[in-house]
Amino acid sequence: MNALTSTRLDALLSAVAAAAREPLARRPAAVAEAMAPHLAAPDLLAGRDCPCCPDRYVRHLLHADPEGGYAVVALVWRPTQMSPIHAHRTWCAFGVHRGVLTEHHFAPGAPPRPMGAHLRHPGETCHGPADPDLIHRLGNCSAEEAVSIHVYGVPYERFGDQVNLILG
Ligand SMILES: [Fe+2]
């Protein structure tokens, strides 16, 4: 891919960069809306190597905001791979690029109480603020590999300790 060629991913990242400057209260929704038109494009990750991992879902960095305000990652899910039950320590927005993910919701508690599940299809987005009571788990309950795009409001180097509040 010629470095001067604008790609579908460039378009998504430009839209996300603008949306990430919205006031904090509107930012997660704005970022989700910015991603939505590009998510299901078959060429979104053209030229990007995003392999799956046999043991767990895996994260690939697509873009880190130079000012550290957010980072954009692709998550690759093989069938049966799931996140832990978690809430978020930062705002977030995600959408499905390819395949189908299942999002389980939980009510706060010890342990968190299952509240139901929704299928998330290509092009669909979700978003939320930092909130220890917004508890969910994403997973691939289908028979095909799935890829989702996620934006979190912290520098990529802090993803390990400032994104997920693990609850189960
Ligand atoms: Fe999450």
Side-chain angles (χ1 to χ4, degrees):
M1 181 75 63
N2 185 318
L4 296 177
T5 302
S6 183
T7 66
R8 175 68 81 161
L9 181 59
D10 292 332
L12 181 148
L13 294 175
S14 295
V16 166
R21 288 194 287 269
E22 291 281 335
L24 184 58
R26 208 192 110 57
R27 198 172 302 159
V31 170
E33 289 164 16
M35 287 197 293
H38 309 286
L39 277 171
D43 61 347
L44 180 63
L45 297 178
R48 292 280 184 150
D49 190 24
C50 294
C52 64
C53 172
D55 305 324
R56 56 181 170 76
Y57 73 98
V58 64
R59 189 188 273 162
H60 299 282
L61 177 65
L62 297 178
H63 177 71
D65 173 33
E67 296 175 12
Y70 67 91
V72 184
V73 294
L75 269 55
V76 184
W77 313 75
R78 290 181 65 164
T80 74
Q81 292 182 337
M82 285 197 173
S83 76
I85 299 170
H86 65 279
H88 289 138
R89 301 178 189 273
T90 178
W91 63 267
C92 70
F94 77 90
V96 177
H97 167 50
R98 179 160 57 81
V100 180
L101 290 176
T102 301
E103 183 178 19
H104 292 267
H105 297 279
F106 297 82
R113 187 161 45 89
M115 295 289 286
H118 291 91
L119 296 179
R120 304 301 186 193
H121 296 90
E124 234 180 298
T125 63
C126 298
H127 60 85
D131 185 340
D133 289 340
L134 285 178
I135 303 168
H136 74 161
R137 178 174 64 193
L138 276 179
N140 184 357
C141 300
S142 80
E144 306 291 334
E145 185 177 287
V147 179
S148 51
I149 308 296
H150 299 240
V151 185
Y152 299 106
V154 295
Y156 184 66
E157 310 81 64
R158 305 314 306 264
F159 270 31
D161 64 343
Q162 291 187 357
V163 170
N164 284 351
L165 175 62
I166 307 292
L167 298 166

